[in-house]
Structures are given as C-alpha cells and as structure tokens.
Amino acid sequence: MSSTASTQTQQNAQSLTLVEAIQDGLYTEMAQDDSVVVLGEDVGKNGGVFRATDQLYEEFGEDRVIDTPLAEAGIIGASIGLAQTGMKPVPEMQFMGFMYPAFDQIVSHAARLRSRSQGQYSVPMVIRAPYGGGIRAPEHHSESKEAFFVHEPGLKVVSPSTPYDAKGLLAASIHDPDPVIFLEPKLIYRAFREDVPTKPYEVSLNEAAIRREGSDISVYTWGAMTRPALIAAENLHQSHDIDVEVIDLRTLSPLDIETITESFKKTGRAAIVHEAPKTGGLGAEIATTIQEEALVHQEAPIKRIAGFDAPMPLHSLEDYYLPQAVRIQDGIRETVDF
Amino acid sequence: MNMKNEAGSKDVPAAVREDSELVQILDAEGNVLPQASVPDISDRQLLELYETIKLARHFDQRAISFQRQGRLATYAPMTGQEGSQVATSLALAEQDWLFPTYREHAAKYAHGMDLVSLFEPLRGYRDGYAIPDDVNVMPEYIPIATQVPQAMGMAWGHKLQGKTDTAVLCHLGDGATSEGDFHEGLNFAGVFDVPAVFVCNNNQWAISVPRERQTASETIAEKAQAYGIDGVRVDGLDPLAVYKVASEALAKARNPGPGERRPTLIESVQYRFGAHTTADDPSVYRDESEEEAWRDRDPVDRIETYLYNEGILDSALESEIQDSIEQEVSEAIETAEQTEASPDNIVEHVYEDVPARLEEQRDELNRLREKYDEGAFSEVLE
C-alpha cells in the first residue's frame, strides 16, 4: 500500500473508482484499528478477485488478511467466533450468488446472537459481497437478493452507489456494533471516478441521499441502478420537462423512512427501480411504506421497475433483464401521465 | 473386532464391544479396570463430579415431569449423557469457553450457569439466555452443527491474539457429523491449528435415525484423521475416562508438544436413554432391549460404585447429597416460575439501539394493551 500511503501525505483527496474506494476504506480502517481483520477466499496474496483487498496482505500480513479454505459457512461461522474475542472481522463472500451456503450462519446466528444472549454477546462484523448483474459474468455470479437479508431482524444492509459513499459507508459499517451486509454493486466497481478524501470519515447508516431534486415524481433506487435512474431523470427533463427526484437509499435496512416519505409528499408519485426480481423485492416494501405513511398525497399508482421473476439470464439477455434507462423512462412517463 | 459387523447386533452396546481404541477406566459396574490409570483428581473434585452428575439426573427427571404437568415447554432430556457432560465441563478451566447444544443442560450448569436460567427459556422467558459476565458459555445451539465453525472461530481469535491459555470446548451430536458445517469447522480447525476440542456426543440416535445411517465410517473419531487432527474414542458413560480424555485434549490445545496439533475430536460413545425431546416417542423407532443393554453401564451407578470402593462416599453422605440436590432443583423451578416478561422484551437486543420502525411497532402494541385487557391477546389462540 506504499503508493497510496505516499499519495496520502501529498493531498487530501484522490480520484478513485468505487472498488478502489473500498480498498482505501479497508486500508484506512485496518491502519486505525488492529482488531479489524479481512478473511475469505483469495483475499490475501491475490488481493481479491475484484482487487478490493489489493495490497492489504503485503501491508498487514497473513494474520490480518487471511486466505481461508473455500467454505462460505466456515468463513461466516469463524467470523462470528472471531468477533467474540474482540476482533472485527470483515469477511468477503466472493460473489453474492455464493452466499447461500453461509445463509444459515448469517440469519440464524450473526443476526440473532445479540437477542439470543439478551445483549451479552454481539457480532460486530461486515460481510462484504459483490452483487448484481451487467458484467457478462457466468451463471450464479449476478445475484441481487438483498431482500433476503432486509427481511432478517438483527442485520443491517448497505449498498453504496458512489466511491465517496463506498468508503464512508464501509467505515460506518465497520464501526457499527451490529452485523452489516455490505453489498457492492460490481457493475459500477470501475464505471467512474470521484474524489475521495484520504482522511477517515463516515457516511451515516440511516440516511438516504437525494441525488437529484425534483417535483414531479420520486424515484427510489440503490446500488448500480442509481446511475441509469439519474440518466433517465436527465433525459426526461430535457425531452419532456419532467422533473424527477432521485433518492439513493444507501442503507436498505433499516430504511430511511422519513426521507422516503417526505419526498413522496412533495411529488405525489413514485417509481422504485431495482434489479432484483420484482415479487417480494424491496420495491414492495417501499411502496407499502409510502401507502402507510402518505396515501393522501398519492396522485398515481406506484410503479416498480425491476428484474424479472426469473433467474438472471446469461449475458446475451441480461440487458433486457436489468432495468435500463429506457425502461425507467417509460415507467416514469406512465406514472406521470396517469 | 470389526465394528461394522457388530453394528447389526442391537443387543450389544457399542461401548461394550471389544475395542482396543475405546478409552475406559471403569468397568460396567464401576470397578477400575486392570491397567487403567485413574486421572489425578482430588477427592473433593471427585465428589463435585458425582454431585453434579446426580444433580443432572434429578434435574432431568424433574424437567420431564414438569413438562408433563404443563409447567415447562418442550424439553430435550439428557439421562445417560450426564456423566460425559459433567466430566467435560469439569475438565475446563474457568477461562475456557463452552459451546453447548440444546441438550447440554448439565454441561452449562457445571461451567457456571445457574439452574434458574436453565428453566427460564423452557418457561418461555428469554431472561435465561442472559449469560453472566464471568461465565464463558455461549447460548445453546439448536440448528445442528452450526456451532462448530463458530467455536473454531473463537479459538482462532484467541490464538491470533496470543491467548492460547484459553481453550474452547464445543459439543455436537452424531447427527451433526453429517452436516456441512461439521466439515467446514473441523477443516478450518486443522488448517489454522486452533485451541479447540470438539466433543461428539455419539448417543446413537439423531431423533429416529441411527448412527449407522449418519455415516458409513466405522467410528466418528476416525473422521479427525481427514482433517489432520487427533481423534479419540472414549466410553461416554464412564465419567473418569471422559474427564481424562477431555483434560488431556484441553492441555494439548493450550500447549501442544512437538509435532502435536492443537485441536482434537473426541467421540464420546454414549446412549440417550430417553426420548429426543418430550415431543418424541422412541418406542416407534427402537427396541427397549437396546436401551436395557446400555442401562447396565449407567454413568450414575458407575461413579457411585467407584466412590464407595474408594471410601469417598458412604450412605449418609449420599443421602445428604440427594436431599440437597432435590432442594436446589425445586427452588430453581419455583424461582423460574415467578419470572415475568414485558412485551418490551420483543424489541430489545435485536440491535444495540432499537430502530425507529421497531419502536413504532412496540408503541402500537402498548397502545393496544392499554385499550384492551391482557387476556384479549390470547383469545384467538386459545
């Protein structure tokens, strides 16, 4: 990490991609706190299959950046035990599609140890997992199943959409006393750069971000879908003079209900954009929340623009599966024109 | 002798089979076997071992009876397994950690949990899950084998921080050895050479499925070989043998000799005399004769005979111990029955801070509680 370390002394911010911001975030937290350890498959010498842990092994050594046997339940189970000894494990699940073998350890144990021990033990750990489609990956490599974890009490679920947020949300997640599922939208790992402060900072785990202010409709989204939502908003502004407000949820559990509701009270219309399958997805939760909190402000049916209730297709068809700007624009127009 | 051939013979308990690798100190009656070496243990510790085993047996009988009276919910009996549970816990140092399953009531008690806390969850109160600061016990594990990688992780964490004087003892059943978590946990334990001892309480039955249906390997202990760690088979109805084997494994976990690996898998060969839980009827899936054959090796009788032989116990002391045990158990259930829970407990300890939405849900419940009387909340369910 010598190159980054020398850069840090020269300037206050550096232009980073999202995955570089995550690497920088891990570096920053590990340098500050000896109890933070990274473990998983290929995270050590190889620096992670997406390079998210690049150079950490060289900087912090094999006892803090640990290549484990290939075993997801083992990695999460071991991390729960490590957390009981005062360490702060940051296990990596190589792809969200390979998280299912660890599902029982996450939902039955990491999420519940605090309540099962009546507050005596907790599991402060951050499970990092690249998720989502759009990178022409093989089968099982493009899953977006955040709703599984949002549904489980005891877990927090986070998904950044910018490099700045990635570092700040990761810091807040590592400092959080509860287990956090940190979902990294791998489609935008290297899509763009942004200035990221070299100093440590946090982005709060209970605040959604208003990415674009607008008065005609609220679009709720997160992760990789934030970009096409913003593009759609800009296109509609120019082509049809529709003023779209874009809310990036950032933390999916617990939801920032206040920001969600306040935006809807202003616009009276809502579209929710996610790449996960439509049925039982987080869009349903947001739509119902709006109905509970602000029905009298509603001007049109709430629209969900989502993935299909089907497994993610192989890459020849994934552009049809993922909500692209054109689908988002069409859905927004349908709602505004209702 | 080939164990596989023996497995077909239902009336010969595995612990009685000719097996040169099975560690035993006491014979079926409780007499010290020729050439057996009794562990170095004081008379006071021997009495503690005996008293705790006797208490566990009485606790078990009372818990089943209370369940039948509707005073406790579903309970997992441990009769037949108390000797191994208590002996493994007494082998632990105070700083060591215990990972129990839902059947290790006696193991938890022997490592510092009080009896009231054992009864409370069975009464439906989570208060009993609250573990005192100075007691190194994890909450009981109900999903099978999930504790194995977690125990490994805790032992690993201690080792990474240079605290190898602290060992972790993890209980599991024979059914657990079929699960993926068993493999992942023991595989990690071997790879990272952690100070952990895994005790497989092979009680011959995973609810209704026999040990022979869990694995085609001759023993469970031999599985350790595949992970590069030690495997030991011990007569689990012989408390002295279990104490010896567990003590040696814990000592090695802390301070391995040259070429030794820290982790050990102990197969404690025992028998569940009763049902899997109070909701289970073992007569459906096994013969009574099988149980009778194992009854001949009851751990309570054996340790009692041994103590009489050694002059440590006499009938006056025995009845004094029995009276004190009965009083302790009945006081504990009476205290547990006085526990009351507030519905606020539903939202507590889910996160460190109660999230806003969960607070709203609690407030909604409390508003309804004020509006209607408490009985209204059980009307539909009863």
Side-chain angles (χ1 to χ4, degrees), chain B residues 241-261:
Chain B
V242 173
Y243 181 86
K244 176 185 163 73
V245 163
S247 300
E248 289 172 358
L250 288 161
K252 178 168 69 75
R254 280 186 256 272
N255 190 19
E260 284 186 333
R261 307 287 288 167

Side-chain angles (χ1 to χ4, degrees), chain A residues 208-221:
Chain A
I210 302 170
R211 296 293 178 201
R212 187 187 192 284
E213 294 211 22
S215 55
D216 293 328
I217 181 169
S218 304
V219 170
Y220 303 97
T221 190

Side-chain angles (χ1 to χ4, degrees), chain B residues 2-291:
Chain B
N2 187 323
M3 294 289 294
K4 268 187 180 166
N5 293 339
E6 287 290 331
S9 177
K10 283 286 180 196
D11 58 349
V12 182
V16 191
R17 293 170 195 159
E18 191 180 315
D19 182 345
S20 59
E21 292 187 4
L22 186 75
V23 178
Q24 289 179 305
I25 290 173
L26 301 175
D27 69 11
E29 280 74 45
N31 304 303
V32 177
L33 286 159
Q35 275 103 42
S37 68
V38 175
D40 184 19
I41 177 171
S42 69
D43 288 359
R44 189 189 58 76
Q45 287 173 302
L46 279 167
L47 269 179
E48 189 188 351
L49 179 67
Y50 168 72
E51 284 177 25
T52 315
I53 291 171
K54 285 281 274 188
L55 181 140
R57 176 64 55 93
H58 182 70
F59 176 95
D60 205 55
Q61 290 164 344
R62 297 305 294 150
I64 293 166
S65 164
F66 293 142
Q67 194 280 333
R68 300 288 181 238
Q69 297 163 33
R71 293 162 73 182
L72 297 180
T74 308
Y75 169 76
M78 59 185 165
T79 290
Q81 304 186 220
E82 313 96 324
S84 185
Q85 285 193 23
V86 175
T88 46
S89 276
L90 292 186
L92 293 170
E94 198 180 335
Q95 78 271 14
D96 291 340
W97 280 82
L98 176 74
F99 281 67
T101 76
Y102 48 81
R103 204 184 300 286
E104 265 77 43
H105 320 292
K108 287 162 76 173
Y109 172 77
H111 199 46
M113 295 293 286
D114 67 39
L115 286 180
V116 177
S117 73
L118 300 185
F119 279 125
E120 279 171 337
L122 298 165
R123 294 272 309 154
Y125 303 116
R126 297 202 301 189
D127 306 58
Y129 284 160
I131 293 152
D133 281 337
D134 58 349
V135 176
N136 288 350
V137 173
M138 292 299 283
E140 63 198 32
Y141 283 77
I142 293 172
I144 303 302
T146 52
Q147 69 279 17
V148 178
Q150 295 181 32
M152 175 275 155
M154 180 187 277
W156 190 22
H158 289 144
K159 186 188 172 194
L160 285 168
Q161 295 171 76
K163 285 166 53 185
T164 49
D165 65 322
T166 303
V168 173
L169 188 139
C170 174
H171 286 278
L172 55 137
D174 38 312
T177 67
S178 305
E179 293 269 11
D181 278 5
F182 170 81
H183 165 67
E184 296 190 26
L186 264 67
N187 190 47
F188 271 60
V191 167
F192 295 110
D193 193 32
V194 303
V197 176
F198 302 94
V199 179
C200 176
N201 301 298
N202 173 10
N203 69 9
Q204 314 301 327
W205 292 92
I207 307 189
S208 68
V209 180
R211 208 282 312 175
E212 289 75 17
R213 211 21 107 80
Q214 298 302 331
T215 175
S217 60
E218 286 191 18
T219 71
I220 286 168
E222 74 189 48
K223 291 173 184 289
Q225 200 179 355
Y227 302 109
I229 65 174
D230 291 320
V232 183
R233 280 188 100 219
V234 62
D235 179 349
L237 291 86
D238 176 347
L240 292 184
V242 173
Y243 181 86
K244 176 185 163 73
V245 163
S247 300
E248 289 172 358
L250 288 161
K252 178 168 69 75
R254 280 186 256 272
N255 190 19
E260 284 186 333
R261 307 287 288 167
R262 291 180 189 274
T264 304
L265 171 63
I266 296 172
E267 177 185 359
S268 178
V269 181
Q270 50 194 270
Y271 195 76
R272 163 174 41 90
F273 288 137
H276 165 67
T277 68
T278 46
D280 170 52
D281 173 11
S283 72
V284 173
Y285 53 81
R286 69 185 192 194
D287 292 338
E288 215 170 290
S289 61
E290 178 184 295
E291 185 193 321

